[in-house]
Structures are given as C-alpha cells and as structure tokens.
Amino acid sequence: MHLKAAYFTLGCKLNYAETSTIAGMLGQKGIVKALPQEKPDICVVNTCSVTETADKKARNLIRRLANKYPDTSIIVTGCYAQLKPDEVAKLPGVSLVLGSNEKLRISQYVDAWIGMADKKVEITPALSLQEFMPSCERGDRTRYFLKVQDGCDYFCTYCTIPYARGRSRSGKISELAGMAREVAAKGGREIVITGVNIGTFGKDSGEDFLDLLKSLDEIPGIERYRISSIEPNLLSEDILRWIADESRAFMPHFHIPLQSGSDKVLKLMNRRYDTSLFQSRIDLIHQLIPNAYIGVDIITGARGETDEEWQKSYDFARQLNVAKFHVFPYSERPGTKALLLGEAVPMDVRRKRVAQITELSNKKNLDFIHRNFGLKRKVLWEQPYGRNMMHGLTDNYIRVEAPLIPELFNQISEVEILQPKTGSSEIAIGSHIL
C-alpha cells in the first residue's frame, strides 16, 4: 500500500516551484499525491517567513492540519522552519522539520524518518549554505517555474531572507537550459524564471544573467519566458534592450521591487538604488517596450517612515506609470537591523497606508486594462474557469476570460481585449480571434 501525501505552500513563486519538486521526489519513492477527498499519511508544509503574518499563517495551517488529520505526520520546511525550527517542532502533529539545505533532499530524510518514526529536526545554518539545488516544475499549473538562483547577499535591514536561505548561489547555464529543454519535450509553453535575487545570478560561478536569458531564449518549443522579480539596479539597460530588440520569447512583463518612494527610507532599508534610478528604469521600459506590464512592491510603515517620508513615498508611487502595486505593511523581524532604527510606526497607521496604496493600485490596474482595449494580444490558456469560461494571461500579463473552447487548453491564441470584468480591476473580458 502506497503512502499518500498532501502538499501545502505559503509564500513566493520560488516556494511553489520547490514544493512541486518535492512532490516529484516523493513520487519517485512511491509516495503518491493524495486526492482532495483522501486522508493523507503525510502533509508537507512549505512555509514563508517574510512577515510575522506569514509565520502566523504557517502556525495556523499546521494546527488546522493536526486537528483535521490527528494521525497524519506533518513535515515542515521553508523559511519559517529554517528561522524558528524549535518553535515549529513544538507545534502539534509535526514529525519532521527540514531547513533550506535539507528541503530538496527530503526523500532521504523521509526514508530515515519512516524507519524510526521519531520527531526529527534537520537544519544547516543558513549562512553556511553553499550548494545550489535547482528545480523546474509546474505542479497543477500550466506555467513551469525554473529556479535559477537562491539566497541573497544584500542584507536589507528589514529582511530575514539571507538568514533563511543563505547567501546568493546559482545554477549552471548548461544545466538550467537542459531543464528548459525537458519542459519543451513535455509540451510546456511558458517558463517563469524564479529565485530570491535573480539579478545576482552567476556571481558565484562567473556566469552572467543576460547570458542565461540568451541561452534559454534559443530553446525551441518554449514560447514564453517571464522574469519573476528583479532588483531595479540589476535590471540593466543591456537586459532591457536585448528583450526589446533581440529576444524571441521574453514577455513584456516586469516585476520590480521599489519598497519605498522615499530616498531617506530607501537608505535606511539599505537598498541599492534611489528613486531616480528606479524612475529611469520605468521610463526606459516604456520607451523600449510600449504596453509592458510593470508590477511594483511597496512596504508601508517601515522604521523611519515619518508622515513626511510616507507622503514622499506615496507621491512618487502615484506618478509612476506602472500596472500594479503589491503592498505589504512593515513587519518587525527578530535579528534585523531595522529594529535599531527608531520608533515603530503604529500598526493602524501601517494598515491605513496599505489601504491608500491598494486603492491607488486598483486604479492603475484598471487604467492599464483600459489602455489595452481593442488591442489584439496572445493568451496562453489555462485550466477551464467554471462551466462556460476559460482564462489565461496575455503576453503583457492581463488575465483574460473568454468563452470556453477546451481544445485551446495549454495553447496560445489571439484575443481582442474588450472590457474589464464587472467588479474586478485585474481581469479583462476577451473575444477569441479564430
């Protein structure tokens, strides 16, 4: 009788890619994926720890699983497990806690754990991590996620990622290109390039991020690539001009973290750019790639963000020509230097600022869809949406709904953007062009 496992992921696209890899590894050991109605023998929880809210979500999920499946063994990995292994190990139902270095070696740890069925914690100190473990999976999605880099050397004052994932390290271009070829052989159409700080790709190997992009672009069968997120100081003019003028398959879609529109706050955060550089990147994208989608991360209420600095940040965000803001209230993380930067901004003020940016984001997203009205864009169609509708993403990252044509699943076809979906600032209605 095969063991059955259920998988739960919190956090970033990189985590989703790694969870899919974990499922594949355990599948090779004969551990099958539990169906929704089945009771799993094992629950694998891949956690995030970017904020205290992320930690809380992880704890709540683990407790719910322990309550729902009292006889099921829970394996916890990811950033929360790396940063607070003892806390995780004390949660109900937890049998195995694996750190960042152990995550993608899960099958060997499961073998040992099954043999002794005893609680076990395996953690390598993050700053000692040197090995890079690639992954390329899609899970239940249409798009594949290719992990090309892990860790970060930036040590922003508010962030625990270097302590959770270690220093920056990368895969080899030849190995990563081989994984992309395997995706093409499976019929995959789109790959999202993921990592923690992907612009630092090759820092440890002597290779270069642009060379990686060029190598991937040459692989037949992959029709689309997206860069998941890249620091503005690492999104070079050379990269942008290559995507605009020479790339075959890289989409007009960028995700660029800003974090604050105040130069003073950016300096306190130990970011590697100022608002002038950020603005220049946005301007160059629009100059080279009209109708590109640009998503931007912002943190509200960081230490040092006075009312005056917040107004500067908001005013800068308001004038940016972007499609969406991903906004997060600042969260105090133990051991970070931001805790030494003065008084905390009250939580109610942080939430108020989140609401302001969210409202601004909704307007910008709707404006972006409006600017695409009447245009013909290519859509990669995903799973059917309800009985009569299907959905997918345009090349420039507009989610489109259109009447269901089952044979178009995992195919790319052209649509005309008609109007926004009622009640949504992020979804458009499209008309098939057949």
Side-chain angles (χ1 to χ4, degrees):
M1 179 179 175
H2 291 296
L3 292 175
K4 296 175 182 177
Y7 299 90
F8 304 87
T9 307
L10 301 170
C12 62
K13 289 184 174 68
L14 181 56
N15 268 8
Y16 280 90
E18 291 175 335
T19 299
S20 294
T21 299
I22 288 170
M25 289 176 169
L26 294 186
Q28 291 176 1
K29 308 292 283 188
I31 300 174
V32 300
K33 191 171 183 181
L35 297 175
Q37 69 274 17
E38 292 181 323
K39 174 185 173 297
D41 301 291
I42 299 170
C43 288
V44 178
V45 182
N46 192 2
T47 62
C48 174
S49 190
V50 70
T51 64
E52 173 55 35
T53 299
D55 288 359
K56 184 177 179 181
K57 285 181 179 179
R59 290 192 295 271
N60 289 342
L61 173 59
I62 293 164
R63 290 187 179 111
R64 286 199 306 272
L65 292 173
N67 184 59
K68 186 176 181 179
Y69 306 118
D71 299 325
T72 293
S73 297
I74 300 175
I75 300 173
V76 185
T77 187
C79 292
Y80 179 41
Q82 176 72 37
L83 290 169
K84 299 180 180 178
D86 294 337
E87 180 175 302
V88 172
K90 292 176 183 176
L91 292 170
V94 173
S95 298
L96 189 59
V97 183
L98 300 178
S100 298
N101 198 53
E102 292 72 26
K103 178 187 290 187
L104 296 185
R105 293 196 183 98
I106 190 169
S107 57
Q108 69 188 63
Y109 289 104
V110 167
D111 278 346
W113 167 77
I114 289 173
M116 50 193 241
D118 196 12
K119 182 169 290 196
K120 192 173 183 63
V121 176
E122 290 285 346
I123 303 289
T124 300
L127 296 183
S128 299
L129 301 181
Q130 296 182 345
E131 184 180 0
F132 174 78
M133 290 175 278
S135 65
C136 187
E137 297 288 344
R138 65 173 178 146
D140 298 325
R141 303 179 178 207
T142 303
R143 295 175 290 160
Y144 282 77
F145 294 83
L146 174 62
K147 175 185 171 183
V148 303
Q149 181 273 340
D150 203 347
C152 186
D153 296 332
Y154 274 19
F155 290 92
C156 298
T157 57
Y158 57 86
C159 184
T160 57
I161 284 177
Y163 308 104
R165 284 189 171 267
R167 293 187 177 275
S168 181
R169 52 207 188 277
S170 315
K172 294 287 187 180
I173 290 177
S174 58
E175 180 182 20
L176 298 169
M179 298 177 96
R181 284 193 208 68
E182 290 177 8
V183 170
K186 295 174 184 175
R189 306 277 185 171
E190 180 173 318
I191 293 176
V192 182
I193 299 169
T194 66
V196 173
N197 189 351
I198 59 177
T200 61
F201 173 88
K203 180 180 178 182
D204 56 331
S205 65
E207 295 185 318
D208 178 80
F209 186 55
L210 180 53
D211 287 339
L212 170 67
L213 304 187
K214 290 178 179 178
S215 179
L216 294 174
D217 199 56
E218 294 173 355
I219 295 170
I222 304 300
E223 299 182 50
R224 293 180 162 199
Y225 291 99
R226 299 186 192 273
I227 301 171
S228 61
S229 178
I230 185 168
E231 295 285 307
N233 52 303
L234 299 175
L235 182 59
S236 67
E237 182 173 337
D238 287 345
I239 291 173
L240 289 173
R241 290 192 180 279
W242 177 80
I243 291 174
D245 299 334
E246 300 179 46
S247 165
R248 173 189 63 84
F250 276 82
M251 296 295 97
H253 169 205
F254 301 92
H255 187 120
I256 314 171
L258 169 62
Q259 310 306 18
S260 176
S262 156
D263 285 330
K264 179 180 178 181
V265 174
L266 287 174
K267 190 171 183 179
L268 290 172
M269 289 177 165
N270 195 32
R271 301 296 283 166
R272 306 289 181 101
Y273 55 87
D274 58 16
T275 54
S276 176
L277 184 145
F278 193 93
Q279 183 71 62
S280 71
R281 292 296 186 267
I282 302 300
D283 292 344
L284 185 59
I285 290 171
H286 287 296
Q287 174 190 331
L288 298 174
I289 313 170
N291 286 317
Y293 178 102
I294 305 173
V296 173
D297 293 339
I298 289 185
I299 295 171
T300 67
R303 300 280 178 118
E305 188 180 83
T306 62
D307 290 345
E308 179 183 359
E309 298 307 321
W310 161 246
Q311 192 60 51
K312 291 178 183 177
S313 186
Y314 181 82
D315 289 344
F316 183 75
R318 182 171 53 189
Q319 60 81 41
L320 282 174
N321 183 10
V322 299
K324 184 176 181 177
F325 292 110
H326 301 263
V327 56
F328 310 90
Y330 166 71
S331 180
E332 284 81 2
R333 308 310 291 139
T336 57
K337 292 183 178 180
L339 299 179
L340 307 175
L341 297 179
E343 294 296 320
V345 175
M347 187 55 73
D348 62 326
V349 175
R350 299 183 213 181
R351 293 192 183 112
K352 180 180 178 182
R353 293 173 183 177
V354 166
Q356 288 178 270
I357 293 292
T358 301
E359 181 181 7
L360 179 63
S361 178
N362 291 338
K363 291 178 181 177
K364 287 187 178 292
N365 214 330
L366 196 56
D367 287 345
F368 181 70
I369 293 177
H370 275 288
R371 290 201 301 272
N372 282 267
F373 280 1
L375 298 181
K376 296 177 175 63
R377 313 292 312 195
K378 291 185 176 181
V379 174
L380 173 61
W381 296 104
E382 301 176 17
Q383 296 282 3
Y385 184 72
R387 290 187 176 181
N388 302 311
M389 301 295 287
M390 61 194 304
H391 66 92
L393 290 168
T394 64
D395 55 343
N396 63 341
Y397 209 63
I398 296 173
R399 184 160 293 281
V400 174
E401 289 186 2
L404 176 62
I405 302 178
E407 55 267 31
L408 286 180
F409 170 61
N410 197 37
Q411 302 296 316
I412 295 173
S413 70
E414 199 168 47
V415 300
E416 180 181 356
I417 307 297
L418 298 180
Q419 63 189 49
K421 182 180 179 181
T422 302
S424 174
S425 65
E426 300 184 19
I427 301 175
I429 301 297
S431 174
H432 293 293
I433 299 173
L434 300 174

